[in-house]
């Protein structure tokens, strides 16, 4: 586990403190050892589950890696596997099962007739909507859910190579 190879956690904590101070963000009473421990737990979770996002490979993964880099943290290792729901939407378009020209999340919700609160750029609602889009798209292709679709289309699951 590559983060554990860091010789001195204090150096990393100092880098985080320095970056935040440099960005003039006022931070008080933060237990940086706890923050670091939580980051390790999050990375372990990432490595044991594949991550799904809409437009993942051209946006989300790049932004995530850049943010980790900006905070002087190691970027995600290749063991973190990603899947992009835009891939399944492209398959639906190719098979004539999706008529909309654009495959933005909002258009997918509308075209697939997903019941949505239509609250964009809110992590909770976007996640729920994306789960419903992925399931509906997989159903249209004859799969029980997005996971079973990915099991038969493993080439669509890729490591973080940004």
């Amino acid at each position: 586990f590559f983060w554990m190879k860091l010789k001195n956690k204090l150096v990393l904590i100092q880098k985080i403190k320095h970056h935040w101070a440099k960005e003039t963000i006022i931070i008080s009473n933060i237990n940086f050892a706890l923050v670091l421990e939580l980051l390790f737990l999050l990375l372990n979770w990432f490595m044991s589950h594949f991550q799904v996002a809409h437009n993942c490979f051209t946006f989300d993964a790049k932004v995530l890696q850049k943010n980790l880099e900006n905070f002087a943290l190691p970027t995600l290792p290749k063991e973190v596997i990603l899947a992009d729901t835009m891939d399944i939407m492209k398959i639906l378009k190719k098979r004539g099962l999706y008529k909309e020209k654009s495959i933005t999340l909002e258009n997918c919700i509308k075209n697939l007739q997903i019941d949505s609160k239509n609250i964009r750029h809110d992590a909770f609602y976007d996640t729920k909507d994306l789960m419903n889009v992925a399931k509906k798209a997989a159903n249209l292709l004859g799969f029980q859910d997005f996971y079973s679709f990915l099991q038969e289309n493993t080439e669509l699951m890729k490591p973080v190579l940004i």
Side-chain angles (χ1 to χ4, degrees):
F1 183 65
F2 86 166
W3 278 26
M4 295 308 228
K5 292 180 184 174
L6 296 172
K7 291 181 182 170
N8 188 344
K9 291 180 184 177
L10 184 58
V11 171
L12 181 59
I13 291 168
Q14 288 171 340
K15 284 182 180 180
I16 294 169
K17 282 183 180 179
H18 174 72
H19 181 77
W20 279 340
K22 190 172 76 176
E23 295 295 323
T24 64
I25 296 171
I26 299 169
I27 298 172
S28 62
N29 299 325
I30 290 182
N31 180 338
F32 284 97
L34 179 60
V35 169
L36 189 59
E37 185 179 336
L38 291 173
L39 287 171
F40 290 143
L41 290 172
L42 180 62
L43 182 61
N44 274 329
W45 186 86
F46 268 18
M47 290 172 58
S48 63
H49 299 80
F50 64 89
Q51 307 306 305
V52 178
H54 198 72
N55 201 17
C56 171
F57 296 120
T58 58
F59 182 75
D60 297 283
K62 290 178 181 182
V63 170
L64 177 58
Q65 291 287 60
K66 194 67 174 165
N67 284 337
L68 289 169
E69 191 178 290
N70 286 343
F71 283 97
L73 296 169
T75 55
L76 295 175
K78 66 181 184 313
E79 292 84 7
V80 174
I81 303 298
L82 305 170
D84 194 331
T85 51
M86 290 189 92
D87 290 335
I88 196 169
M89 297 311 299
K90 289 174 186 173
I91 293 169
L92 285 178
K93 274 185 82 161
K94 194 175 190 178
R95 295 190 185 173
L97 299 170
Y98 182 84
K99 306 294 184 192
E100 197 72 40
K101 182 178 180 180
S102 169
I103 56 174
T104 63
L105 181 57
E106 192 166 354
N107 281 342
C108 293
I109 291 165
K110 186 173 33 174
N111 186 271
L112 296 175
Q113 300 173 349
I114 303 294
D115 184 30
S116 171
K117 293 202 184 284
N118 201 27
I119 300 172
R120 299 282 59 91
H121 304 292
D122 176 285
F124 179 75
Y125 290 107
D126 282 352
T127 300
K128 286 181 72 168
D129 290 341
L130 184 59
M131 290 170 60
N132 289 326
V133 164
K135 184 176 186 336
K136 178 85 177 251
N139 292 163
L140 287 170
L141 292 172
F143 294 91
Q144 181 179 345
D145 52 33
F146 189 62
Y147 180 76
S148 56
F149 165 79
L150 287 174
Q151 293 302 102
E152 285 198 29
N153 296 275
T154 56
E155 73 280 0
L156 299 178
M157 294 189 296
K158 304 169 192 165
V160 178
L161 297 173
I162 311 296

